[in-house]
Amino acid sequence: MQAFRQRAAIAARQARSTRVRNTRSYASGHGHEHHAEHTVEESLGSAFWIGLGLIPASWFVYRISRPGKDGQPNAVTQWIEKLGDLSKEWETKNHNNTAAIEQAARDKHLFFNAGRNIHIELGYPEIFQHGSPYNVPAGHYVNLDKVVAHYHKQHLDEEARKAKKLAASSQ
């Protein structure tokens, strides 16, 4: 079936007329008068402008390369010396930054090697005496110093157990 389709397409193409098609002309049919030709504005070109710009540029380079009055160094030399002074500034900044980093390292070691604070700050200490404030006679809240001491001791024992377990695992 495929070969049949191909042959039919070839035959259809060959059957088309090969007559010359008329092309449409967009020219106006007003005769053959000659009109004035358009003038073309031509620029001077980039080479001209570059050459023209080289004149003041070369004068500028000549002026800055000449020494100043009374044997002063020229502008280029002064600019290079200014950049040399910047290296001294950079050296000072780098020294200060190094000193700050070293101080931060000493502080970090100090904080890591300092003993832990054994005081436990309760986030909500009223939890021990939490209750309805209504219908409570005066003096009926208990003294909770023993309870606080008990939980403080329990915390210290837990920290000692953790330290002992850590020391045993590191050996």
Side-chain angles (χ1 to χ4, degrees), residues 6 12 16 18-20 28 63-64 72 91 114-115 127-128 132 142 144 146 150 153 165-167:
Q6 285 180 345
R16 286 189 200 145
T18 57
R19 64 185 171 97
V20 178
S28 64
R63 291 295 294 167
I64 64 170
Q72 296 172 343
E91 183 179 344
I127 192 74
F128 290 123
S132 175
V142 293
L144 297 176
K146 291 181 183 177
H150 168 73
K153 182 180 179 298
K165 183 178 177 183
L166 183 65

Side-chain angles (χ1 to χ4, degrees), residues 4-129:
F4 177 71
R5 284 186 187 163
Q6 285 180 345
R7 293 292 177 189
I10 291 171
R13 261 189 257 127
Q14 289 174 351
R16 286 189 200 145
S17 66
T18 57
R19 64 185 171 97
V20 178
R21 296 186 183 185
N22 292 332
T23 57
R24 182 170 175 150
S25 173
Y26 292 100
S28 64
H30 293 265
H32 298 289
E33 306 102 32
H34 292 286
H35 299 286
E37 293 189 17
H38 297 288
T39 58
V40 178
E41 298 292 332
E42 293 184 9
S43 65
L44 295 175
S46 59
F48 172 77
W49 294 111
I50 291 173
L52 193 64
L54 283 176
I55 295 170
S58 60
W59 177 81
F60 177 73
V61 170
Y62 174 77
R63 291 295 294 167
I64 64 170
S65 66
R66 304 305 311 154
K69 297 177 182 176
D70 301 329
Q72 296 172 343
N74 60 20
V76 176
T77 306
Q78 291 175 355
W79 182 67
I80 291 172
E81 287 175 357
K82 186 189 288 186
L83 289 179
D85 292 340
L86 285 179
S87 67
K88 292 175 187 172
E89 280 185 33
W90 292 341
E91 183 179 344
T92 305
K93 286 180 183 179
N94 288 339
H95 176 72
N96 291 341
N97 287 342
T98 304
I101 290 170
E102 289 173 353
Q103 182 63 41
R106 284 192 293 272
D107 292 345
K108 180 179 178 181
H109 287 295
L110 175 68
F111 290 136
F112 279 149
N113 295 327
R116 294 185 64 184
N117 186 5
I118 60 170
H119 178 70
I120 302 167
E121 193 67 41
L122 295 176
Y124 183 52
E126 292 83 15
I127 192 74
F128 290 123
Q129 297 187 6

